[in-house]
């Protein structure tokens, strides 16, 4: 049974707290990770919260990447959702872990859209 | 141990296939579900694919909602990621299931950012 999508949920603890509060840097990191992994970026939107924290979404032709950061906890939640065989989601994950300098990363890999079609 | 975020992953099978291919309707459904659940919408972007299918992301002050549809399979993958106590993510999920008319919905509930802080 094949899945339509691959969804990586990244739990990144013990990150560089300055990186987690830098909107421009995070936007560049997510877009670069998407492109280096072979994705086509369609749109992006990032928001900085007061007093701290960033949320962002990058819509790609192959699904999406998102980030939400809590600099006060050194923690970021990232998602990489891809479909098709073109994008190397694991490479994108490794880039994100490296750029956020997480010393305690964890990845959940969830298959989305596992369908059992009825024969016609 | 509290979690910083609640992440609902909706696997919606056997949906209304016309709804799954209607960008304007899906955008309205996601924004309405977010607002009815108590969220504050910051930005949204939706894209229609040729020959069919829609992807969309709604960034909210409390994190995000996303959708990816495969009308040819009657399937949609939706995510509702919220933080704080203000947003009723389960209500948003029920609205999405109803509006997409899924006859075979499933929800995974994943706690994001379960942190054990070291005492100072």
């Amino acid at each position: 049974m094949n899945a339509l999508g691959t969804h990586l949920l990244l739990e990144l603890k013990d990150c560089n707290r300055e990186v987690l509060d830098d909107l421009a840097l995070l936007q560049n990191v997510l877009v670069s990770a998407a492109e280096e992994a072979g994705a086509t970026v369609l749109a992006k939107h990032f928001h900085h919260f007061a007093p701290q924290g960033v949320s962002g979404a990058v819509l790609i032709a192959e699904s999406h990447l998102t980030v939400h950061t809590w600099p006060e906890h050194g923690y970021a939640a990232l998602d990489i959702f891809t479909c098709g065989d073109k994008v190397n989601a694991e490479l994108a994950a490794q880039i994100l872990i490296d750029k956020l300098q997480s010393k305690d990363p964890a990845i959940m890999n969830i298959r989305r859209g596992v369908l059992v079609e009825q024969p016609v």
Side-chain angles (χ1 to χ4, degrees), chain A residues 53-68:
Chain A
V54 174
S55 278
V58 178
L59 200 64
I60 58 178
E62 304 81 7
S63 294
H64 74 259
L65 288 80
T66 57
V67 61
H68 306 288

Side-chain angles (χ1 to χ4, degrees), chain A residues 12-23 25-26 47-48 52-55 67-78 96 99-102:
Chain A
L12 303 193
K13 298 178 184 176
D14 203 358
C15 297
N16 180 318
R17 297 183 180 214
E18 291 186 6
V19 171
L20 296 189
D21 204 33
D22 188 330
L23 182 151
L25 177 56
L26 287 169
H47 183 85
H48 185 265
Q52 58 190 350
V54 174
S55 278
V67 61
H68 306 288
T69 74
W70 282 260
E72 68 274 31
H73 295 295
Y75 166 77
L78 289 113
L96 295 172
K99 295 292 187 184
L100 272 61
Q101 303 170 37
S102 173

Side-chain angles (χ1 to χ4, degrees), chain A residues 2-7 37-38 60-63 81-90 112:
Chain A
N2 289 323
L4 295 174
T6 295
H7 191 169
I60 58 178
E62 304 81 7
S63 294
F81 190 139
T82 64
C83 59
D85 299 325
K86 186 185 153 210
V87 180
N88 186 339
E90 287 75 15
R112 302 293 296 265

Side-chain angles (χ1 to χ4, degrees), chain A residues 94-105:
Chain A
Q94 193 55 56
I95 292 170
L96 295 172
I97 291 168
D98 290 347
K99 295 292 187 184
L100 272 61
Q101 303 170 37
S102 173
K103 292 178 187 145
D104 181 10

